[in-house]
Amino acid sequence: MSEHSHTGASSGGSISDGPADPEHDSTAAYGLDRAYVASLTRRVVSTTGETAAVASPIGRTPLAHVPQSSPADVAEAFARARRAQASWAATSIDDRAAALLRLHDLLLDRQDELIDLVVWESGKARKDAYLEVAHLALTARYYARTAHEHLDSVRVGGMFPLLTRAEVNRVPKGVVGIISPWNYPLSMALCDGMPALLAGNAVVAKPDAQTMLTALLAAQLLDEAGFPPELWQVVAGPGPEVGGAIVAHADYVCFTGSTATGRKIAQGCADRLIGCSLELGGKNPMLVLRDADVQRAAEGATRAVFSNAGQLCVSMERLFVADQVYDRFVDAFVSRTQAMTLGASHEWSVDMGSLISQAQLDTVTAHVEDAVAKGAHVLTGGRHRPDLGPFVFEPTILEGVSADMECFGKETFGPVVSIYRFHSEDEAVDRANDGQYGLNASIWTRDAARGRAIARRIKCGTVNVNEAYGATFGSLGAPMGGMRESGMGRRQGAEGILRYTESQSVATQRLMPIAPMFGMSEETNAKVMTAALRVLNKLGRA
Ligand code: NAD
């Protein structure tokens, strides 16, 4: 059992059958200290008097009653954020970057508390929760250290050399609305917000209802790092109502979630003529080429498929394996999968944790049952494991999946992968590109250059060669996002911060106007201009 000194958590390893609410059932006990929870939830902007109960996937342990926000509360959150943004935008880039670096250190210092809370709310394996901390630390450092590169005003060539001075400023959008999902509750709460703040914006965040406490602790760390408290507002409530109010007030919306919801967000933003970035779903392919190191690929596949119990936008749900190595790969992958430790607990020893909810369990179960009923074979897994936790489902490998099955083209978002044999690499590329998604792909080969050449033919926003997803996700200078119905816009890299700015061009003219001079006729002026244009082209000017 890990230390819970920060959260005051009771023993998280014990599994009870719940659901029980200590408000109404004297035998039930909260998993977290009440005062600790209150110190987090007081940050929600809420005047409704209503709360929503949150229970952990670990034994359905009750965790909190989270205050709910009305559309009027969302409007108030935007008003507060807007006031704070005006003075924040006037601070120096260096001051903002320094706050981000303090946040970096706080994240690392307080990682046990953060991980405990993430595990309580999501039921994920502790190692998966740690990766959220690491991802945020990487993000904070990358943007703090590259702030000037992205945000400084840039001189560009003016219309006339020496006469026209032109520069491009980066102006913050204003107040950014961030709507985030439950699957990486810590990482998704902050990773898109950091560049927004650095660029001089304020944020109103609407995290998913199931993982509010983690998002609220993240907001508290922002305060402790020295960001003005009013700069980051948190609202809570059902997606359509509270998320809809975010779209109604924001100057820009950053959304991460399902493709279906992303479409609605895009429609709302189109009506208001505001921009948005959409990080959506995927049905990600992994290709094991004939020259792959089979053991390495099999080990990578367990991470590619079962990290976070498959509730990961960039995890793999389709595995295409070359004929020549198919049998060896499948043996190695199945035996490594069977050796995984499952559980719903705070232990570091868990390889794969719980699904987050009954809804997730229902989808995963339905996809597996549908595939089996239509003739797919379960090579390993395939069963719900209530003995380990209410929503634990075994890591599952399916063979013989066909286009009539739910799990063929639809995102399962769980620990289920379909494995297919291929005979030529052209065929593998075609099948990988099949469907409407285009988020992430993974290619395994001993010839990295060949892997990179094949990557260029895959219609995905990120492609990892000899890794699952971590290589692109952890390379913060590289943009991350989806092609096709997997998204619009990118997080990370220059695009991840410039999306929160408007470019503003300022050009200053001196000595001569851009008009005929000295009583010159328009006709003569056109001749002079034409001669000047020819000279500039000869000089090789842009
Ligand atoms: P979801 O779309 O149901 O919910 C995501 C967020 O949107 C939640 O905060 C929810 O409350 C809110 N929401 C729901 N309906 C809304 C509406 N009508 N208007 C405004 N907001 C609304 O997604 P989910 O099921 O919670 O998350 C899983 C999905 O997210 C998967 O498809 C996964 O692939 C995707 N995802 C993508 C990325 C990425 O970076 N591409 C990362 C994580 C998750």
Side-chain angles (χ1 to χ4, degrees):
M1 195 67 217
S2 60
E3 273 299 312
H4 294 286
S5 54
H6 297 291
T7 53
S10 66
S11 167
S14 65
I15 305 294
S16 68
D17 266 326
D21 186 342
E23 302 286 300
H24 310 295
D25 177 353
S26 59
T27 64
Y30 284 105
L32 295 165
D33 179 73
R34 307 309 305 138
Y36 178 72
V37 169
S39 75
L40 298 174
T41 55
R42 65 165 175 246
R43 216 175 183 295
V44 178
V45 182
S46 167
T47 56
T48 60
E50 289 165 18
T51 59
V54 179
S56 173
I58 300 178
R60 299 183 204 257
T61 310
L63 295 180
H65 288 84
V66 177
Q68 299 293 284
S69 312
S70 66
D73 292 327
V74 178
E76 171 60 19
F78 272 92
R80 290 182 198 172
R82 226 169 262 296
R83 284 193 293 273
Q85 193 266 334
S87 39
W88 178 244
T91 60
S92 73
I93 291 175
D94 286 335
D95 285 350
R96 293 181 228 153
L100 214 45
L101 289 176
R102 286 194 295 274
L103 178 65
H104 170 276
D105 290 348
L106 273 172
L107 286 161
L108 297 182
D109 293 347
R110 303 269 291 275
Q111 60 179 284
D112 288 344
E113 179 184 4
L114 289 161
I115 293 170
D116 282 345
L117 209 45
V118 169
V119 173
W120 267 122
E121 286 197 303
S122 67
K124 68 173 64 185
R126 205 166 178 81
K127 68 183 172 69
D128 291 327
Y130 172 72
L131 290 180
E132 301 201 43
V133 174
H135 180 237
L136 286 184
L138 283 168
T139 307
R141 178 161 52 86
Y142 167 76
Y143 278 118
R145 300 267 194 244
T146 57
H148 284 286
E149 182 187 311
H150 300 308
L151 298 174
D152 281 353
S153 296
V154 179
R155 283 282 288 273
V156 295
M159 179 171 177
F160 293 114
L162 305 175
L163 302 180
T164 320
R165 170 201 159 116
E167 62 201 4
V168 180
N169 299 326
R170 288 286 162 188
V171 181
K173 292 264 185 187
V175 184
V176 173
I178 297 184
I179 302 175
S180 55
W182 46 261
N183 64 331
Y184 276 70
L186 176 63
S187 181
M188 293 297 129
L190 281 189
C191 74
D192 292 303
M194 289 182 190
L197 295 181
L198 186 67
N201 298 281
V203 167
V204 176
K206 195 215 83 65
D208 190 273
Q210 297 167 90
T211 50
M212 283 300 301
L213 298 180
T214 303
L216 287 163
L217 177 55
Q220 202 179 74
L221 292 193
L222 288 170
D223 299 347
E224 289 177 32
F227 291 95
E230 297 284 290
L231 198 62
W232 186 279
Q233 302 288 329
V234 184
V235 293
E241 189 184 330
V242 176
I246 294 264
V247 175
H249 292 281
D251 300 314
Y252 183 88
V253 176
C254 169
F255 172 79
T256 306
S258 63
T259 296
T261 309
R263 232 183 266 284
K264 291 182 194 153
I265 302 282
Q267 282 160 359
C269 290
D271 279 345
R272 293 199 51 232
L273 284 179
I274 59 166
C276 60
S277 56
L278 308 170
E279 305 288 347
L280 309 177
K283 188 76 189 174
N284 306 308
M286 171 164 155
L287 276 57
V288 181
L289 306 187
R290 63 179 181 276
D291 66 348
D293 177 332
V294 167
Q295 291 302 330
R296 228 184 118 191
E299 186 278 327
T302 57
R303 281 180 291 113
V305 175
F306 303 123
S307 286
N308 211 38
Q311 302 164 117
L312 169 58
C313 57
V314 288
S315 65
M316 303 294 154
E317 297 198 356
R318 300 182 298 149
L319 249 167
F320 299 98
V321 184
D323 225 357
Q324 295 86 342
V325 292
Y326 185 89
D327 295 333
R328 277 193 297 136
F329 174 84
V330 169
D331 284 350
F333 181 35
V334 167
S335 65
R336 280 174 188 273
T337 301
Q338 286 169 342
M340 288 171 69
T341 311
L342 314 184
S345 84
H346 289 268
E347 308 287 348
W348 277 104
S349 56
V350 171
D351 290 324
M352 196 188 92
S354 174
L355 297 169
I356 194 172
S357 62
Q358 185 66 44
Q360 279 297 106
L361 178 64
D362 290 346
T363 309
V364 170
T365 308
H367 276 205
V368 172
E369 282 178 356
D370 168 75
V372 170
K374 290 173 181 161
H377 315 293
V378 177
L379 296 183
T380 186
R383 288 177 309 161
H384 175 209
R385 292 292 299 274
D387 53 318
L388 298 176
F391 312 129
V392 174
F393 196 93
E394 289 175 343
T396 302
I397 306 174
L398 299 176
E399 199 180 41
V401 168
S402 51
D404 57 330
M405 300 175 190
E406 290 283 306
C407 67
F408 179 83
K410 286 197 183 138
E411 185 184 42
T412 306
F413 216 53
V416 181
V417 68
S418 311
I419 188 159
Y420 308 93
R421 189 188 287 267
F422 71 80
H423 306 287
S424 81
E425 279 166 14
D426 285 347
E427 175 206 345
V429 168
D430 283 350
R431 289 165 72 183
N433 286 337
D434 198 18
Q436 77 271 35
Y437 290 117
L439 192 57
N440 181 42
S442 165
I443 299 172
W444 296 77
T445 168
R446 281 198 171 84
D447 182 347
R450 205 163 69 83
R452 286 191 291 273
I454 291 176
R456 297 174 78 95
R457 298 166 58 199
I458 304 276
K459 294 177 188 159
C460 284
T462 54
V463 184
N464 293 266
V465 178
N466 293 330
E467 237 325 312
Y469 55 84
T472 50
F473 218 94
S475 301
L476 268 292
M480 185 266 153
M483 295 185 185
R484 304 196 279 184
E485 292 186 18
S486 287
M488 254 170 53
R490 298 287 184 267
R491 62 164 57 107
Q492 305 190 171
E495 289 168 67
I497 186 164
L498 295 183
R499 63 184 157 157
Y500 299 126
T501 66
E502 299 278 9
S503 63
Q504 179 198 47
S505 301
V506 178
T508 311
Q509 187 68 16
R510 53 189 208 130
L511 298 176
M512 287 167 55
I514 303 176
M517 287 202 317
F518 315 120
M520 200 185 273
S521 72
E522 290 288 354
E523 188 179 1
T524 311
N525 185 56
K527 284 184 182 145
V528 172
M529 275 282 286
T530 301
L533 290 171
R534 288 193 203 287
V535 170
L536 289 172
N537 192 29
K538 286 233 160 53
L539 292 174
R541 287 263 310 186

